Amino acid sequence: MFPVLNLGSISLPIPEFLILIGFWLGSVISDQKAKSFSVEPKLLEKIIWWSLIAGILGARLSYVARFTAAFKGDWLSLFSLNLAFLDSPSGIIIALAVSFIIISREKISLYSILDGLIPFFGIMITSFFLSQFASGNGFGTATNLPWGISLWGEMRHPVQLYFAFASILTILIILHPKTMDHIIPGKTFRQFALITSGYLLLLSYFQITNLPTISGFRLDQILYWIILCFSLFLYANNNQLNIHGITNET
Amino acid sequence: MKTYLSARKTFYSVALLLAGVFWIWFSRLPISAGFQTSIEAPQNGFQAPGFTLSTLEGKELDLEDLRGNPIILNFWASWCPPCRAEMPDFQQTYQEFQETDLQIIAINATDQDSLKGMMAFVNQHNLKFPIILDSTGETSQAYHVHSLPTSYFIDREGRIKDIIVGGPIPLSLLRIQAIQLIEGNQ
């Protein structure tokens, strides 16, 4: 666990720093690979940055709208950099809405754009798992294996590293030159969704969950299985989703 | 040929989904084991590690005795500028929510602080909520406090609902966290 790096009087929060690194690296690699997916790099940059800005602003405004009375006498805190002042679900919805608006203005297949964003998503997911490892969140079940790490009074699976490794492997597979041959719109997205939901379902066995269970069945695994179903449905059908309508190609 | 490939695709898809169902069944938790969230860990969603520490008055305070109350736990030291900056807001929150069952507890990292300096600060700001002394640093270790201040927001069941590392925490955020803990909807 490495939650903080103390540099003199400055404490650098490692988990947040890793997310920032992931964001930057993901944007760079998405830019580089964009042409392979027949997408302009500038369009992907526009989607990523405008969604981020809209998401953060939306999350802040939603939070303030929910708890306006609490800011009485402390209005300056509206501009606080504290990340706790964000309503994440609202921020995500607003970010998705802004992405959709930007995409709908372009005469380009949604699947092509999704393919172009996969390197960004893949690296963000990797940095998320690494930040979880740094913070100690999402920790693993107890183990006697030699690579177990001591955490919260027990030797545990470094499950966050398992996830990060699987995520890196996924990116390497889908961006491999052989895989990138004969790209049809949507192929990369479908592959990514399928592999990701698969390893999430598999590796979550080694993770302690703080979500409720239903008769012992883990909610997180049920969710991953549903995503796997959906991914398989998309993978099994060679549909091309065009933003201006749906066309079938078999 | 097309039908054969389609049938093979369907077979593998169904096999994969059934394997997933089997894996979910295999991974299920024993119902008698209860929630995994009963594990003690200083992380969101898990039980706050217990402790018994002395107050400034020399009495003992056991976290377990406060089970059933929403709790704001703040690790601090008098040499730490953001800790000093946010203490008046903790005091104001304490006063605003005095009629409720909210508990605000400040754990002083006494192993790395001056008792004299700490007492002077407490008296200067007339802090009325319990100040307890982590003389050995064991509680800070149990909570993996790597940076001061660090605040934990604990619900009535003793589960950590939020953690804020660093400060000063704005007064509005303290109020919001207090309301959410009291209403039980974090």
Side-chain angles (χ1 to χ4, degrees), chain A residues 3-250:
Chain A
V4 195
L5 179 64
N6 290 314
L7 301 165
S9 59
I10 299 170
S11 286
L12 186 68
I14 298 292
E16 287 80 5
F17 185 65
L18 286 169
I19 297 284
L20 277 177
I21 296 274
F23 185 89
W24 169 77
L25 194 60
S27 308
V28 164
I29 295 185
S30 268
D31 261 6
Q32 287 175 356
K33 296 288 181 185
K35 292 277 188 204
S36 312
F37 300 111
S38 309
V39 182
E40 278 302 314
K42 285 205 181 311
L43 174 60
L44 291 182
E45 277 176 28
K46 198 170 155 186
I47 293 170
I48 290 170
W49 284 101
W50 280 109
S51 301
L52 176 71
I53 293 167
I56 290 173
L57 279 176
R60 175 57 61 95
L61 290 171
S62 300
Y63 191 89
V64 172
R66 273 178 73 192
F67 302 108
T68 314
F71 289 88
K72 188 180 167 188
D74 191 28
W75 295 109
L76 273 180
S77 61
L78 284 173
F79 305 102
S80 168
L81 296 177
N82 199 309
L83 296 178
F85 278 130
L86 297 174
D87 182 353
S88 302
S90 301
I92 290 168
I93 291 168
I94 291 167
L96 287 173
V98 165
S99 316
F100 186 75
I101 291 169
I102 296 171
I103 292 168
S104 64
R105 290 181 176 182
E106 304 290 328
K107 289 187 173 60
I108 186 169
S109 159
L110 174 63
Y111 264 150
S112 295
I113 294 176
L114 287 173
D115 285 346
L117 287 171
I118 288 306
F120 174 75
F121 288 141
I123 290 168
M124 280 302 296
I125 287 172
T126 307
S127 67
F128 169 74
F129 290 129
L130 290 174
S131 80
Q132 282 209 317
F133 181 69
S135 65
N137 277 330
F139 56 92
T141 53
T143 183
N144 293 324
L145 293 170
W147 58 80
I149 54 171
S150 176
L151 197 58
W152 320 137
E154 286 210 70
M155 295 303 287
R156 298 182 181 277
H157 284 282
V159 67
Q160 308 99 324
L161 295 183
Y162 298 168
F163 279 124
F165 178 71
S167 176
I168 291 169
L169 208 57
T170 304
I171 298 166
L172 290 174
I173 290 170
I174 62 174
L175 295 184
H176 192 275
K178 276 193 178 165
T179 322
M180 297 277 284
D181 261 346
H182 309 298
I183 288 180
I184 57 169
K187 178 184 167 193
T188 305
F189 169 70
R190 289 189 289 249
Q191 281 176 336
F192 180 78
L194 189 60
I195 300 172
T196 302
S197 54
Y199 76 67
L200 286 175
L201 176 58
L202 183 68
L203 296 175
S204 55
Y205 171 78
F206 301 101
Q207 188 175 44
I208 296 283
T209 178
N210 61 0
L211 292 176
T213 57
I214 304 170
S215 300
F217 293 104
R218 298 169 55 134
L219 260 185
D220 53 345
Q221 287 192 317
I222 293 170
L223 177 66
Y224 299 146
W225 187 84
I226 291 170
I227 296 171
L228 182 68
C229 286
F230 184 63
S231 306
L232 273 172
F233 173 76
L234 288 180
Y235 202 78
N237 291 284
N238 291 327
N239 286 338
Q240 275 230 357
L241 181 65
N242 186 293
I243 197 66
H244 299 293
I246 297 175
T247 57
N248 285 336
E249 259 192 33
T250 51

Side-chain angles (χ1 to χ4, degrees), chain B residues 66-86:
Chain B
L66 299 175
R67 182 70 68 95
N69 296 89
I71 303 168
I72 298 178
L73 212 58
N74 175 251
F75 286 83
W76 74 291
S78 62
W79 52 258
C80 149
C83 304
R84 297 170 70 92
E86 67 183 12

Side-chain angles (χ1 to χ4, degrees), chain B:
Chain B
M1 180 69 176
K2 206 166 160 185
T3 312
Y4 169 71
L5 284 173
S6 181
R8 211 168 69 155
K9 241 190 212 174
T10 307
F11 171 76
Y12 284 131
S13 300
V14 170
L16 188 58
L17 289 176
L18 286 175
V21 169
F22 169 75
W23 188 248
I24 293 173
W25 175 83
F26 179 77
S27 309
R28 76 194 188 289
L29 301 167
I31 296 169
S32 58
F35 289 119
Q36 289 191 314
T37 52
S38 60
I39 292 169
E40 265 193 16
Q43 296 292 335
N44 281 356
F46 294 93
Q47 288 294 120
F51 57 78
T52 304
L53 295 173
S54 296
T55 66
L56 289 178
E57 294 79 27
K59 294 180 188 168
E60 281 203 338
L61 190 145
D62 188 334
L63 184 67
E64 189 58 32
D65 292 340
L66 299 175
R67 182 70 68 95
N69 296 89
I71 303 168
I72 298 178
L73 212 58
N74 175 251
F75 286 83
W76 74 291
S78 62
W79 52 258
C80 149
C83 304
R84 297 170 70 92
E86 67 183 12
M87 274 306 186
D89 287 338
F90 271 92
Q91 175 60 28
Q92 184 163 347
T93 306
Y94 175 76
Q95 282 171 312
E96 287 178 8
F97 289 89
Q98 215 164 10
E99 302 300 312
T100 69
D101 59 349
L102 175 74
Q103 302 289 320
I104 294 180
I105 299 165
I107 302 182
N108 177 259
T110 320
D111 60 319
Q112 51 174 302
D113 200 356
S114 139
L115 205 57
K116 198 175 166 188
M118 186 263 293
M119 287 301 307
F121 181 79
V122 169
N123 292 331
Q124 179 193 351
H125 290 278
N126 202 21
L127 303 178
K128 297 295 182 195
F129 46 85
I131 310 278
I132 55 178
L133 309 175
D134 184 17
S135 311
T136 60
E138 276 180 19
T139 304
S140 297
Q141 272 188 24
Y143 277 79
H144 271 243
V145 174
H146 292 268
S147 178
L148 293 174
T150 299
S151 301
Y152 294 82
F153 300 86
I154 302 167
D155 68 10
R156 295 172 196 280
E157 284 76 44
R159 274 193 307 264
I160 296 172
K161 301 308 283 185
D162 204 357
I163 303 169
I164 295 177
V165 178
I169 299 178
L171 174 63
S172 51
L173 185 55
L174 281 173
R175 285 173 176 153
I176 291 165
Q177 293 280 3
I179 291 166
Q180 289 186 307
L181 282 176
I182 291 164
E183 292 177 358
N185 58 5
Q186 239 171 347

